[in-house]
Amino acid sequence: MLEFLKNIGINDRTILKMINENSEAVIQDLECNSDNAVDIIDYLKELDIKVIDELLVDRIDLFLKTKREIMKLFSKFNIADLVKEINDDYFNIDYIFEEND
C-alpha cells in the first residue's frame, strides 16, 4: 500500500505513520488519487517546502486535492513568506484553507 510514495522517496516510517494515523478510507482515497498526490508533492518541493513528510501524516487531506486547487490556494499569499511559515511550523499550512472559510 502507498508504493507510489516509496517510488518518489517517501520513507517507510512516514508511510507507516500515515497508515496508523489516518482512516483506511482516506488512505484508499490517496491511493486512488496517487497522480494528484505526486503532483502536489512535486509542487511543494518546487516551493521549497521541507516538511512534506509531516504534512503527509497530519494534513493528508491536502494531498486529496488537485495541484490546480493547491496552486490557487497558495497564489493568494506571498509564497516566500508562507513557505517560511510552513517550514517553521507545518500547521501553518492551515492559513491557505482559512482564507476559503
Side-chain angles (χ1 to χ4, degrees):
M1 187 172 273
L2 302 179
E3 286 296 315
F4 74 95
L5 291 174
K6 289 181 184 181
N7 294 338
I8 60 167
I10 303 300
N11 65 52
D12 289 336
R13 184 172 161 211
T14 298
I15 293 170
L16 184 59
K17 282 175 126 179
M18 291 172 65
I19 292 168
N20 289 336
E21 295 188 25
N22 293 282
S23 73
E24 186 175 332
V26 170
I27 297 298
Q28 288 177 341
D29 284 348
L30 186 67
E31 186 80 41
C32 290
N33 293 297
S34 61
D35 290 341
N36 284 335
V38 169
D39 287 346
I40 292 168
I41 291 167
D42 289 343
Y43 176 66
L44 296 178
K45 286 179 180 178
E46 287 172 23
L47 295 179
D48 202 30
I49 292 180
K50 307 284 188 210
V51 292
I52 294 171
D53 286 2
E54 291 86 348
L55 292 170
L56 281 165
V57 173
D58 290 324
R59 289 308 311 260
I60 198 168
D61 55 312
L62 175 74
F63 302 93
L64 298 175
K65 300 188 177 304
T66 65
K67 179 181 176 183
R68 176 171 284 173
E69 289 173 305
I70 298 303
M71 290 175 72
K72 185 176 178 183
L73 292 171
F74 269 87
S75 72
K76 297 176 183 180
F77 295 88
N78 177 311
I79 292 179
D81 290 342
L82 182 58
V83 167
K84 182 184 179 324
E85 292 286 326
I86 293 168
N87 284 333
D88 287 344
D89 180 353
Y90 67 92
F91 283 108
N92 287 328
I93 194 79
D94 292 341
Y95 292 146
I96 68 170
F97 298 108
E98 290 171 2
E99 282 289 309
N100 293 319
D101 292 342

